[in-house]
Amino acid sequence: MRECVNFVIDQKGHGIPESLIKKVRTSTREFFKLPYEEKSKIKMTPVAGYRGYQRVGENITKGVPDMHEAIDCYREVRQGMYGDLGKVMEGCNQWPVNPPDLKPIMEEYVSLCTELSRKIMRGIALALGGSPNEFEGQRAGDPFWVLRIIGYPGASKANGLGTPENDIGCGAHTDYGLLTLVNQDDDITALQVKNLSGEWISAVPIPGTFVCNIGDMLKVWSNGLYDSTLHRVINSCPRYRVCVAYFYEPNFDVPVEPLDVCVRRTGGTRKFGRACYGEHLVSKVQTNFVE
């Protein structure tokens, strides 16, 4: 039996100040209001380790352009840090000059999200029947992380029909790593997740909370007890929507295969072969963007 694939962390329990959560979205909105010429000064390229700004339509999901713009950031990778496996991801994050506080705000936010995610993973480890340190050490004791700072234009009514011309802010997909903390606007419902009945349901924003998605690597480690969350974004609101997604990942070069305790709980059969998080990430990064 598969567990719940999506949950919300209550405001009073997660420990990240609401003032910072709001500041993250405010700075994001300020950046996306800038002219394209200004935003493109940190344009994402393969040479930059796929870090930086991408305009609307440059992110691709299953061959279809997504109607959002974004800044992509990753844990910085020094030359040779992960050998040939990490070569594609080598580089430093690109930060804009304006707004000037974007970089320090996001770096503080990443630090706090990392600590929060580590605590959540301890709880998940216990729920799976393992020790609280199951995802420490060689598995995720030195976690990789990804930060996507995203802006979704409001739905266009230019066709006069009252329906969006292209409403797919981000096509249906699962996340790559362990878990994702989604910080979204409080007053626009756009994120949708597919439940076990195959229905798309809205993840209605609850002020002061994060939506938490489960990723592909946790699905493998749990031998399918936890399913990675299939989700999409459709912004049918005429207003611009911002979202900042923090992705907590395993160690970059770790081999991932079902945990023994999870194999026992699912009948003794390993449902997944061995995977490598870094290989999985690189394969996705190299096919998700228009160069």
Side-chain angles (χ1 to χ4, degrees):
M1 178 177 178
R2 292 186 296 177
E3 306 287 348
C4 179
V5 298
N6 185 273
F7 55 94
V8 176
I9 306 166
D10 185 78
Q11 170 187 356
K12 296 179 181 178
H14 61 61
I16 298 181
E18 188 171 1
S19 59
L20 178 60
I21 291 172
K22 290 181 177 179
K23 200 180 296 183
V24 163
R25 295 200 304 264
T26 298
S27 294
T28 295
R29 186 169 275 104
E30 288 176 8
F31 173 79
F32 288 129
K33 284 180 179 179
L34 296 173
Y36 171 72
E37 292 72 23
E38 185 70 19
K39 292 183 286 190
S40 65
K41 290 179 180 178
I42 58 166
K43 180 177 174 59
M44 186 185 72
T45 65
V47 174
Y50 292 91
R51 294 165 170 81
Y53 172 76
Q54 54 185 227
R55 69 188 305 172
V56 173
E58 288 185 336
N59 191 83
I60 304 293
T61 300
K62 298 179 180 177
V64 179
D66 293 318
M67 294 298 102
H68 71 254
E69 56 184 330
I71 302 175
D72 282 8
C73 306
Y74 299 89
R75 178 177 171 177
E76 296 185 348
V77 178
R78 301 184 307 275
Q79 187 173 3
M81 187 172 175
Y82 299 116
D84 290 342
L85 176 64
K87 191 170 183 61
V88 169
M89 304 306 301
E90 289 178 354
C92 298
N93 291 316
Q94 299 193 77
W95 298 104
V97 174
N98 291 306
D101 61 352
L102 185 69
K103 180 177 185 285
I105 286 172
M106 294 302 174
E107 289 182 337
E108 179 185 4
Y109 185 68
V110 164
S111 177
L112 292 176
C113 284
T114 300
E115 288 307 306
L116 172 59
S117 298
R118 192 184 299 273
K119 293 174 184 176
I120 295 171
M121 289 307 303
R122 289 172 183 158
I124 288 175
L126 289 170
L128 289 171
S131 77
N133 298 320
E134 208 72 57
F135 298 106
E136 298 291 339
Q138 293 183 347
R139 293 191 177 113
D142 186 27
F144 200 73
W145 57 262
V146 181
L147 187 74
R148 295 206 76 220
I149 303 166
I150 315 169
Y152 297 89
S156 172
K157 301 297 191 294
N159 58 13
L161 300 176
T163 56
E165 293 180 326
N166 185 352
D167 62 357
I168 306 299
C170 190
H173 66 286
T174 57
D175 296 334
Y176 314 147
L178 286 173
L179 57 87
T180 309
L181 302 180
V182 181
N183 176 1
Q184 57 180 335
D185 276 338
D186 293 336
D187 57 350
I188 299 176
T189 300
L191 177 63
Q192 300 178 348
V193 299
K194 183 171 277 192
N195 64 19
L196 297 181
S197 299
E199 305 167 316
W200 286 106
I201 58 174
S202 294
V204 179
I206 302 174
T209 67
F210 299 106
V211 172
C212 184
N213 292 329
I214 289 169
D216 296 336
M217 297 298 101
L218 184 51
K219 178 178 181 177
V220 174
W221 262 322
S222 71
N223 207 36
L225 281 169
Y226 284 97
D227 202 357
S228 45
T229 311
L230 185 65
H231 56 288
R232 66 185 183 185
V233 177
I234 298 179
N235 184 18
S236 56
C237 176
R239 289 181 285 119
Y240 195 93
R241 173 183 181 265
V242 300
C243 168
V244 177
Y246 167 85
F247 303 84
Y248 184 78
E249 316 289 71
N251 296 359
F252 188 83
D253 53 359
V254 67
V256 178
E257 56 187 335
L259 299 173
D260 289 342
V261 65
C262 296
V263 173
R264 290 194 296 270
R265 284 187 58 183
T266 52
T269 301
R270 293 180 182 271
K271 299 179 181 179
F272 305 97
R274 177 177 290 196
C276 173
Y277 166 70
E279 290 179 0
H280 188 52
L281 174 66
V282 169
S283 70
K284 296 291 187 178
V285 165
Q286 291 183 313
T287 57
N288 276 10
F289 308 110
V290 176
E291 296 183 11

